Amino acid sequence: MKLVTFKTSDQQPRAGWLTADGDSSPGVVDMHQISNGALPADMLSFIDNHEQYRRLIQDNNWENAAPTHAMSEVTLLAPLPNPRSFRDYIGFEMHMLNASRSFGHSIGPAWYEMPIFYFTNHQAIYGPDDEIKRPATETKLDIELELGCIIGKKGSDIKATEARPYIFGYTIFNDWTARAIQRREMEVPLGPHKGKDFANAIGPCIVTADEMEAYRCTITEADFAAPLRFPHGPTDRLDLKMRTRINGATICEGNYKTAYYNFEQMIERASENGVNLMPGDMLGSGTVGWGSLIENNFTVHRPLEPGDVVELEIEGIGILKNTVV
């Protein structure tokens, strides 16, 4: 299923799903409306009890229901407007190599030993077609092309080998970044702070984990050409093409399968030492190699300015578009 949060002319957010791509009249199904209130009106409540609700949808064949709204009648919002928490990892070695070079750093040995993350602002969530305001003091606004993972059930001390059932679904994540602010902050070895505090865009939908299994693959040495190291952990990934366009011009093309760490490893790391992951928590994959402008020191494209239109595309999910203001 491709789940969405949307609003109509009454401006009230509600949860639902997109009808199948092959439908002659694609649209949106309001889950609360189609079920006469048996399904919730918001996405977080649906995720909290998604196994029960998915059975209800299947038993009533609501997944094949006609749309309650045409796409022209709705505005898509962030599919999960209120994640309970948001951890962002640095999962791609190519991004680490490029960004470290740009900042004059080197990759610490610990990065190759465990997935590294920071907590980002789960209250600064934006959706498709939202305007992203450039921070007033920022001169080098940047983007980061990432895959987002939504947790579907509570758990702690989850082993990577047992983590897949904890994944509810996936979305596109643009980790908007104020590079000039970040560069100064990271002179202190504490991690990013205000440079990552102002905007996290996700969408246009959440694709449930079962639907994304069609993209699962086994990586090989050929996927990790020099200077990349072949991962020492699990060798399964999702084979998903990833692209960035700015003002219609392609800036980056990559693939999620080149991630050094997969989400199952990230779940193990986040939940160790008795830490509870909760339904509606989010994890970011980290930026795919060349998926940010800092990796080329803004030579491929200048820092983003008001009026720029950014499109992030991930195979199987769709396109997340935002405009800088």
Side-chain angles (χ1 to χ4, degrees), residues 132-171:
I132 306 298
K133 185 177 180 180
R134 183 176 63 179
T137 60
E138 180 53 39
T139 59
K140 291 188 176 181
L141 183 62
D142 199 357
I143 53 174
E144 293 193 342
L145 170 57
E146 304 192 28
L147 181 65
C149 170
I150 298 91
I151 300 299
K153 63 179 182 177
K154 181 179 178 179
S156 63
D157 293 312
I158 305 162
K159 298 300 182 185
T161 54
E162 301 169 355
R164 196 165 301 162
Y166 289 83
I167 298 175
F168 172 75
Y170 303 91
T171 191

Side-chain angles (χ1 to χ4, degrees), residues 267-311:
I267 289 172
E268 177 176 286
R269 173 68 175 160
S271 68
E272 68 182 17
N273 297 326
V275 172
N276 277 319
L277 294 186
M278 300 296 293
D281 285 350
M282 286 196 64
L283 310 178
S285 67
T287 310
V288 68
W290 308 105
S292 59
L293 303 178
I294 190 65
E295 295 180 55
N296 292 287
N297 274 319
F298 295 96
T299 57
V300 169
H301 194 280
R302 56 163 170 72
L304 295 169
E305 298 176 353
D308 286 337
V309 177
V310 176
E311 294 175 286

Side-chain angles (χ1 to χ4, degrees), residues 68-122:
T68 56
H69 303 281
M71 291 301 298
S72 60
E73 299 173 337
V74 306
T75 299
L76 293 184
L77 307 174
L80 179 57
N82 53 341
R84 285 195 166 95
S85 71
F86 205 147
R87 295 168 174 86
D88 192 17
Y89 284 82
I90 312 173
F92 291 82
E93 186 186 14
M94 182 60 80
H95 174 73
M96 281 293 289
L97 290 167
N98 294 337
S100 296
R101 181 183 66 251
S102 295
F103 279 117
H105 302 157
S106 58
I107 303 177
W111 188 86
Y112 293 99
E113 299 166 5
M114 57 185 169
I116 301 294
F117 70 88
Y118 67 94
F119 281 96
T120 190
N121 191 347
H122 68 293

Side-chain angles (χ1 to χ4, degrees), residues 241-253:
K241 296 182 179 67
M242 305 172 72
R243 298 181 184 86
T244 299
R245 289 184 292 275
I246 301 176
N247 301 326
T250 298
I251 301 299
C252 163
E253 292 186 288

